[in-house]
Amino acid sequence: MRSNGSRQKKQRPQADDRPGIRVGYGKLVKLFRGRAGLTQQELADAVGYSYEQVASIEQGRRPAKSAFTGAADEELNTGGALTVLQDEVDLARLPAFFQNFALIELEAVSLFWYGGYVMPERRDGARSSGSRAVGKA
């Protein structure tokens, strides 16, 4: 049977809970490592990580930390391709329901906290509620 040139789309198994960004990031690391002619062990030695960590990152089982990304970018001469993805890799560590809030929080300029109010004391030792005392002359 001849193929008409169209490729069937590969799909990840339903039980695969790895975030897509981690899988894609790992594939890029593997691609750049192959282009550099390095084994996983050689890359691990060059960036100061273990072979197992490099393998886990390439397979999308473990998120890359920014220290790994910076060292791998430099060692593999990627031109910053991995660094561009690091924020998304970091975000994927969070539960899905919290990711939008985390993005908003990243843009926050300051934090306002309205808690732990201290009630000022009056001269007679009573706590004031902020209003004037009534009935005493």
Side-chain angles (χ1 to χ4, degrees), residues 84-120:
V84 168
L85 298 174
Q86 187 61 47
D87 286 344
E88 293 296 322
V89 171
D90 290 341
L91 189 61
R93 293 178 187 180
L94 302 172
F97 71 88
F98 188 73
Q99 290 178 4
N100 286 337
F101 180 76
L103 288 172
I104 293 168
E105 194 176 66
L106 284 174
E107 295 178 12
V109 176
S110 61
L111 173 68
F112 292 98
W113 179 44
Y114 297 100
Y117 290 106
V118 176
M119 303 297 278

Side-chain angles (χ1 to χ4, degrees), residues 12 16 18-33 56-64 68-69 78 81-86 88-89 92:
R12 291 180 18 203
D16 189 356
R18 299 174 298 167
I21 186 66
R22 284 196 341 220
V23 174
Y25 178 95
K27 287 181 178 183
L28 274 179
V29 170
K30 185 175 182 178
L31 174 73
F32 284 120
R33 180 181 56 77
S56 291
I57 289 169
E58 283 188 2
Q59 294 166 11
R61 291 182 291 132
R62 173 175 283 172
F68 173 87
T69 297
T78 68
L82 299 176
T83 298
V84 168
L85 298 174
Q86 187 61 47
E88 293 296 322
V89 171

